[in-house]
Amino acid sequence: MTGCTPTGDAGAADGPTRSVRSPAPGTAAGGSGSGGTGTAKPAVPASPTPAVSGGKTKPCTSGDVKVAEARQAAVRPPGTGTGAAVVAVANVSKSTCTLQGFPTVAGAGNGSPGKNVPLATTHSGSVATVSLAPGARAWTKLTFVNVQGEADGYCVSGATPASFPTLVVGIPGAGAHQTALDDGVFALCDNKATVTAYSATKPS
């Protein structure tokens, strides 16, 4: 069965990030003499601390990134539905930006956001800050409760399988973006998915 998968709106970024700020060393004030013949030295102001080591890199916004592709994952649960999909997000701006966190997912509601079907998401793995140069990609993997059997298939839970031509994938701080599977539709059971945090490494 060609499956369609509803995407749900889950998970913002959680967990520690790996970005590190390096404070510029301050210069200590010179000592002032007390008594004797020494003269007091004027205090030397400490140099300012940079906001981000190596310069400022802003978080990605909705205008900086878009979903570049969504394809069925090579490693996925057995069944006849979609099983799992790998989604790539690309920086389409002219400057480097950062993103971090887990996607939200919903099945697109025929052009009406109010009819979207959110998927309940379970987070897998840890969060790290991903720095995206212009044209670079970050990746997330969506693993669904797969549809079983032939034809329209069935759900082990007894629920009715769902299929969606497109999903709405959320990027923390950078909006929600609609995407289609490169081949077929998203098919899944139980309106839920396990999602990995966005990463610079493409999952299998």
Side-chain angles (χ1 to χ4, degrees), residues 44-128:
V44 179
S47 53
T49 301
V52 179
S53 177
K56 293 182 178 179
T57 302
K58 68 182 184 71
C60 298
T61 65
S62 58
D64 295 325
V65 292
K66 71 173 185 178
V67 174
E69 68 171 307
R71 60 180 62 241
Q72 196 170 45
V75 178
R76 57 188 186 270
T80 54
T82 305
V86 172
V87 177
V89 172
N91 181 354
V92 295
S93 73
K94 295 182 180 179
S95 59
T96 299
C97 64
T98 61
L99 62 82
Q100 66 176 38
F102 295 91
T104 59
V105 188
N110 298 321
S112 174
K115 295 181 180 179
N116 288 354
V117 179
L119 298 186
T121 57
T122 299
H123 295 170
S124 174
S126 58
V127 173

Side-chain angles (χ1 to χ4, degrees), residues 5-199:
T5 281
T7 11
D9 231 19
D14 42 52
T17 67
R18 295 181 190 162
S19 58
V20 177
R21 297 188 178 190
S22 303
T27 306
S32 59
S34 80
T37 57
T39 54
K41 295 181 181 179
V44 179
S47 53
T49 301
V52 179
S53 177
K56 293 182 178 179
T57 302
K58 68 182 184 71
C60 298
T61 65
S62 58
D64 295 325
V65 292
K66 71 173 185 178
V67 174
E69 68 171 307
R71 60 180 62 241
Q72 196 170 45
V75 178
R76 57 188 186 270
T80 54
T82 305
V86 172
V87 177
V89 172
N91 181 354
V92 295
S93 73
K94 295 182 180 179
S95 59
T96 299
C97 64
T98 61
L99 62 82
Q100 66 176 38
F102 295 91
T104 59
V105 188
N110 298 321
S112 174
K115 295 181 180 179
N116 288 354
V117 179
L119 298 186
T121 57
T122 299
H123 295 170
S124 174
S126 58
V127 173
T129 298
V130 181
S131 181
L132 287 181
R137 294 184 174 192
W139 306 84
T140 183
K141 183 175 181 178
L142 318 176
T143 302
F144 309 106
V145 178
N146 211 356
V147 180
Q148 305 296 318
E150 301 299 326
D152 290 337
Y154 66 93
C155 296
V156 172
S157 66
T160 301
S163 62
F164 301 91
T166 59
L167 292 181
V168 178
V169 178
I171 304 169
H177 304 258
Q178 191 166 344
T179 184
L181 201 60
D182 70 329
D183 182 17
V185 297
F186 295 97
L188 65 141
C189 288
D190 304 342
N191 287 353
K192 60 184 180 180
T194 298
V195 301
T196 63
Y198 286 102
S199 170

